[in-house]
Amino acid sequence: MRSPRRCSRNGCPRQAVATLTYVYNESTAVVGPLAAFAEPHTYDLCEPHARSLTAPRGWDVVRHEGEFEPPPPTTDDLVALAEAVREAARPVAPRPPEDDQATKSTPQTGRRGHLRVIPPNH
């Protein structure tokens, strides 16, 4: 499952709820609701950083006046969670007893979830 987007400020562990965009040709910083997708040249901010942002001297700040709310889970998140639950709930088939001589003479491959173990060449 995808992890929620975090605040872009260094050391801030909080979840992002707003997006900061700079409009350089108008000397304006725009703080609005969290964008649907992370974009280059924008910054995700948590609520305290979105509310306290200041702009350089001579710049304007346009700030969203409503509430900043965390984004709802996307269908991708829900599908990934459902698939993980299905994978974990699958019964594991019992392994047949192995013959030690057959195991030593032929290399075996095994599966662990979605990974496959391949023994080194002898």
Side-chain angles (χ1 to χ4, degrees), residues 8 29 72 106:
S8 297
T106 59

Side-chain angles (χ1 to χ4, degrees), residues 48-73:
H49 286 126
R51 297 272 180 223
S52 65
L53 178 88
T54 59
R57 184 175 291 139
W59 282 58
D60 295 319
V61 176
V62 176
R63 194 181 324 269
H64 173 70
E65 291 299 322
E67 293 296 316
F68 290 114
E69 297 179 14

